[in-house]
């Protein structure tokens, strides 16, 4: 089977939102979660795809396949007519139902989506496909549940930069990582037309932080995490301050897509 992989605010007038009291999901390394300062770089790097592609979900029926913690599905609920969340993990399903009541959360296998044919306008799949054993079957399922003209919005780490020089992913939770040509081939073979292939890059602020931290703020975080070392206060502060505006989302026509950190594609069902 295929497994996809809190902030507490001040409440006035004794009205308590489910988001204020739901227990947070544990940080396991398989998925990112909001509200953890040391995780903020990765969280914002994931969040940019939601923020930039949100207009494509406006007024639509949207399935987020592999919704994880649910923060993204909840963002989509700000603009969509209906949001269905799907995850294989029972703890994630329970968490989303408790924390994000606007999301219609269901449990299921991404290799056999529990939806009718041509039943949704958009499928969102951000930072999930690299976790799946049968990626081709999942993409075919996305095509099946989309209406004609519907869009699959998909992001995934770029294998060339995420696991450089390797066929086996560095991340133990990843089964197969893709570069841009491989992702395009996967989508086209399933029957999609790839309209957009974007890449996520460090903007000026993060480029300056790369230089500050010996060439890579990513490596600075990973090295200390693997060694079990405490973070210097300035590294912790730099990571906590990262926002989605510190990343650039650039089309392959205006960048070297193979140098991107993550791939963000828009594929259309003919």
């Amino acid at each position: 089977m295929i497994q996809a992989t809190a902030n507490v605010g001040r409440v006035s007038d004794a009205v308590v939102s489910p988001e204020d009291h739901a227990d947070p999901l544990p940080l396991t390394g398989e998925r990112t979660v909001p509200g953890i300062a040391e995780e903020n770089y990765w969280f914002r790097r994931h969040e940019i795809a939601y923020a930039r592609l949100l207009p494509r979900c406006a007024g639509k029926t949207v399935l987020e396949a592999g919704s994880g913690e649910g923060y993204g599905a909840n963002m989509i609920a700000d603009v969509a007519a209906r949001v269905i969340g799907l995850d294989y993990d029972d703890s994630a399903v329970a968490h989303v139902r408790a924390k994000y009541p606007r999301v219609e959360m269901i449990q299921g296998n991404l290799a056999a989506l529990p939806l009718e044919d041509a039943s949704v306008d958009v499928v969102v799949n951000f930072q999930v496909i690299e976790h799946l054993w049968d990626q081709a079957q999942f993409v075919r399922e996305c095509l099946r549940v989309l209406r004609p003209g519907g869009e699959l919005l998909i992001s995934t780490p770029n294998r060339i930069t995420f696991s450089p020089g390797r066929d086996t992913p560095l991340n133990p939770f990843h089964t197969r990582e893709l570069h841009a040509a491989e992702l395009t081939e996967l989508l086209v073979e399933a029957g999609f037309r790839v309209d957009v292939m974007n890449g996520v890059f460090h903007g000026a602020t993060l480029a300056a932080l790369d230089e500050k931290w010996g060439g890579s703020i990513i490596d600075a975080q990973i090295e200390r995490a693997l060694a079990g070392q405490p973070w210097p206060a300035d590294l912790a502060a730099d990571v906590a301050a990262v926002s989605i505006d510190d990343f650039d989302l650039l089309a392959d026509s205006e960048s070297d897509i193979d140098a991107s950190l993550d791939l963000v594609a828009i594929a259309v069902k003919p």
Side-chain angles (χ1 to χ4, degrees):
M1 293 200 289
I2 294 178
Q3 183 172 354
T5 63
N7 297 322
V8 178
R10 186 171 181 176
V11 181
S12 62
D13 300 326
V15 177
V16 179
S17 165
E19 295 185 39
D20 294 322
H21 60 71
D23 292 334
L25 282 180
L27 186 63
T28 64
E30 185 176 10
R31 59 185 165 231
T32 187
V33 299
I36 300 176
E38 295 84 357
E39 180 73 3
N40 186 57
Y41 169 87
W42 298 104
F43 175 72
R44 301 303 178 189
R45 186 166 146 181
H46 286 54
E47 188 183 30
I48 185 176
Y50 291 100
R52 301 293 166 81
L53 271 61
L54 207 59
R56 307 193 83 92
C57 299
K60 305 291 182 62
T61 296
V62 181
L63 166 69
E64 182 170 23
S67 50
E69 195 274 344
Y71 69 90
N74 192 55
M75 290 174 66
I76 295 168
D78 287 338
V79 301
R82 179 188 181 197
V83 181
I84 304 164
L86 173 69
D87 206 280
Y88 185 78
D89 182 69
D90 54 1
S91 63
V93 172
H95 174 80
V96 175
R97 286 174 177 165
K99 187 173 183 181
Y100 304 116
R102 296 185 300 174
V103 178
E104 300 175 31
M105 194 64 199
I106 57 178
Q107 187 169 13
N109 192 324
L110 271 66
L113 298 175
L115 280 80
E116 299 292 331
D117 295 356
S119 57
V120 300
D121 302 305
V122 179
V123 175
V124 172
N125 183 250
F126 291 156
Q127 304 294 323
V128 172
I129 196 167
E130 66 275 6
H131 294 263
L132 306 185
W133 288 103
D134 195 341
Q135 296 173 345
Q137 171 62 17
F138 166 67
V139 175
R140 288 192 295 267
E141 279 290 278
C142 292
L143 188 81
R144 178 184 65 79
V145 302
L146 280 167
R147 298 180 177 118
E151 294 181 338
L152 169 60
L153 313 180
I154 186 166
S155 75
T156 190
N158 177 12
R159 176 167 65 84
I160 295 173
T161 58
F162 201 80
S163 297
R166 295 172 57 97
D167 291 326
T168 303
L170 286 170
N171 188 316
F173 295 105
H174 293 180
T175 61
R176 179 197 177 203
E177 294 167 357
L178 305 161
H179 58 58
E182 291 168 335
L183 178 58
T184 298
E185 180 181 31
L186 183 70
L187 295 168
V188 170
E189 286 186 349
F192 282 99
R193 181 185 76 243
V194 179
D195 277 5
V196 175
M197 181 66 71
N198 288 334
V200 175
F201 296 83
H202 282 179
T205 298
L206 280 167
L209 289 176
D210 282 332
E211 184 174 353
K212 174 181 176 179
W213 292 103
S216 173
I217 192 172
I218 300 171
D219 290 346
Q221 297 174 76
I222 292 173
E223 287 168 7
R224 287 162 176 80
L226 291 177
Q229 298 175 347
W231 286 19
D234 53 344
L235 176 60
D238 287 343
V239 169
V242 172
S243 76
I244 61 170
D245 294 331
D246 296 326
F247 295 94
D248 292 333
L249 186 63
L250 303 175
D252 53 0
S253 60
E254 56 184 343
S255 65
D256 177 5
I257 196 72
D258 287 339
S260 66
L261 299 167
D262 299 310
L263 306 168
V264 182
I266 300 172
V268 180
K269 178 176 180 176

